[in-house]
């Protein structure tokens, strides 16, 4: 059974930082592309960042130079370090694992107050 469990969300003031974690089980973690998406109220889910099996990373323009994705293969965990947070970063953040299909976590809420 595949499980992706996000944690680390919360309420933070603008300019603050948070680190999200996503612990994966039931998948060959090293062979999966891992990514973070987010969904703001009333909006569609959007891509935030991804990290490949080889460790290469990509970011949405809106978060480049503020967010950093990383992973620990030994812990089957992917992270999203978020800095200089803005109110528009508010939303539910989802972890995704893709190899032959995509699995999603349940999400963790991030709220950035102005």
């Amino acid at each position: 059974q595949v499980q992706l469990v996000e944690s680390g969300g919360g309420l933070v003031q603008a300019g603050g930082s948070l680190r999200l974690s996503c612990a994966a089980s039931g998948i060959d973690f090293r062979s999966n592309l891992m990514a973070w998406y987010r969904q703001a109220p009333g909006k569609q889910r959007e891509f935030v960042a991804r990290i490949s099996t080889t460790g290469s990373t990509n970011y949405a323009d809106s978060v480049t130079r503020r967010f950093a994705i990383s992973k620990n293969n030994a812990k089957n965990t992917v992270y999203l370090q978020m800095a200089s947070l803005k109110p528009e970063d508010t939303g539910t953040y989802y972890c995704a694992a893709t190899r032959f299909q995509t699995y999603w976590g349940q999400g963790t809420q991030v709220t950035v107050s102005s």
Side-chain angles (χ1 to χ4, degrees), residues 22-24 28-30 70-79:
C22 171
D28 180 2
F29 184 79
R30 294 171 185 266
S70 62
K71 63 177 180 173
N72 185 326
N73 287 333
K75 295 185 176 181
N76 285 4
T77 300
V78 62
Y79 305 97

Side-chain angles (χ1 to χ4, degrees), residues 9-18 66-67 82-90 110-114:
L11 173 64
V12 64
Q13 287 189 333
S17 300
L18 281 175
R66 298 190 299 121
F67 291 11
M82 306 186 293
S84 303
L85 283 161
K86 305 175 182 180
E88 51 264 43
D89 294 318
T90 293
V110 172
T111 303
V112 184
S113 63
S114 57

